[in-house]
Amino acid sequence: MNNDIERVIYSAAAIQKRESELAQQLSDEYRDKKPLIVSVLTGAVLFTVDLFDKMDIYAQLDFIDVSSYGGGTQSSGHVKLLHDLKHDIKGRNVLVVEDIVDTGRTLKFLIDLLKDRDAKSIKVCSMLDKPEGRVVDVKADYVGFNVPNEFLVGYGLDYKGFYRNLPYVGVLKPSVYAE
Ligand code: IMP
Ligand code: MG
């Protein structure tokens, strides 16, 4: 699997270091708020777990699944809810954790969905942000790294469902797409 990677953008060590900084910031922000951490399946799971276990505060964890990509490298533009939260978020401080914000369609869909449920606050923490890819006007409140407009894999990010288990974020060799 490693042989399919052209270059590494963020090493495992760089990711862990940035997560420690974010976890500290988030712990300060949410210390007395008992937030509900909403992890967006499937891509954000690895980031969520590593961030969550660095946060020394009372927090609960839930998952939501939405789909926009059809498994390739281009967003389909259609977002739908595949699996809903277990928790009622009324009156809760909600922190949505995403892997990457590209066009912003997924995030916009999620925020609009959750906004109708009377949460006390809704904020977003995304491991990666691709500002150049934005089509819809949304912003993550906390971002790990801003990345160039390239298709990335690893640390939760997939190509056709694979490469999520790489411990770093990288770019695939063009030959992989040609297959
Ligand atoms: P958006 O709706 O275009 O902002 O896309 C958001 C979702 O598309 C993310 O949650 C990812 O699952 C996926 N995505 C966007 N860019 C990439 C990428 O470079 N590699 C892998 N998945 C991506
Ligand atoms: Mg995603």
Side-chain angles (χ1 to χ4, degrees), residues 15-16 19 22 26 37-53 55 61-67 95-101 106-107 110 123-128 142 152-158 161 163-166 169:
I15 293 169
Q16 296 292 321
E19 280 169 353
L22 284 172
L26 292 167
I37 312 283
V38 171
S39 181
V40 185
L41 295 168
T42 302
V45 168
L46 283 84
F47 175 55
T48 306
V49 169
D50 285 350
L51 190 67
F52 192 52
D53 77 7
M55 290 170 62
L61 186 57
D62 205 339
F63 297 89
I64 196 162
D65 197 1
V66 291
S67 79
L95 178 68
V96 176
V97 178
E98 252 292 27
D99 49 2
I100 186 164
V101 186
T106 306
L107 192 55
L110 271 170
K123 285 194 177 188
V124 178
C125 176
S126 185
M127 170 175 72
L128 305 176
Y142 300 87
L152 307 171
V153 295
Y155 199 61
L157 297 170
D158 73 302
Y163 305 103
R164 294 194 199 275
N165 50 330
L166 288 172
V169 172

Side-chain angles (χ1 to χ4, degrees), residues 69 98-100 102-106 130 150-152 158:
Y69 275 64
E98 252 292 27
D99 49 2
I100 186 164
D102 182 10
T103 65
R105 288 191 184 107
T106 306
K130 263 189 209 173
E150 284 182 280
F151 192 76
L152 307 171
D158 73 302

